Amino acid sequence: MSTIARSPIRDSVRMPTAWTRPGHIGYVGPDLRPDTHAPPVAMLTVGLDGPLIVHTSRGLIRTGSSFTPARTAHRVVATEGWILVLFIDPSSAPATMIADEMTDAAGTFGLRHRCERELVELCGEPVVDPERIYQRAIAGPHLPTDPRIARLTATIRDQPSDALRADQIAANLGLSTGHFLHLFTQHCGTTFRGYQRWNRMVSAITNAVNGHDLTRSAIDAGFATPSHFSESFRAMIGLPATKMLGAGIHFDLGPRIIAPR
């Protein structure tokens, strides 16, 4: 159980805020009570007004902050007030850069971030600064990634709607499909397919926030059907996209505004 005293986040932040940046996606606001979900990227969650209860397949964990590896089914509930949720793009910051900052563990879950107090304080500022939160969450310099994988992840982020096939990518790299998929997962901590789906979801939501029709945004992002998008979003985030978009959240898109096609 965390012994860190929480600050009154709800009194200092004007409204819930979500943001997208090239290396991370974050949210500071009330607990939206998602269902059990398994994002294809790693995530850090911090209770800003009280401890968290992490629901896992092996039971409940009570902690001030938790690190969840990519593709791990779980559900986090805030016991009180607001939370910080930070999704980490594995091509920008390997999951180990946050996992190494956790001071305890329960199975695959990291517990109690070393800078938990500072993260709570940063989220209590009148204006949330995504870059400062991100830099406080990660540890040390970015470790080098295989340049072939780095180029590929950049292509996926920039062109999320493109239907890239593992066998074609592998052939272009002179690798077997199995070796390529292993290499991608080794460097990114998530699957090739999962990383593509994640970036399509980010693209669809970004365009919807920019005022475009959600259904059209989902199709333009590369989802086969609106229902495919809805199912993918719920599996990754744990709630319907319409609920998140209708929650009165201020969306800070920063420099990464994806223009509709």
Side-chain angles (χ1 to χ4, degrees), residues 6-7 16 32-33 43 45 47 95 103 144 157 176 181 236 245:
R6 263 43 188 177
S7 57
L32 298 177
R33 303 287 174 173
M43 62 183 287
T45 310
T103 61
R157 292 195 306 272
S176 68
L181 292 174
M236 287 187 278
L245 292 171

Side-chain angles (χ1 to χ4, degrees), residues 16 24 31 38 55 76 98 108 128 141 162 182 198 200 223 239 245:
H24 54 105
D31 183 359
H55 296 246
V76 176
I98 290 184
T108 59
V128 173
D162 288 357
H182 174 76
W198 173 257
R200 287 170 186 157
F223 288 96
L239 49 83
L245 292 171

Side-chain angles (χ1 to χ4, degrees), residues 34-54:
D35 297 327
T36 298
H37 56 291
V41 299
M43 62 183 287
L44 173 72
T45 310
V46 181
L48 302 179
D49 294 309
L52 306 169
I53 302 296
V54 185

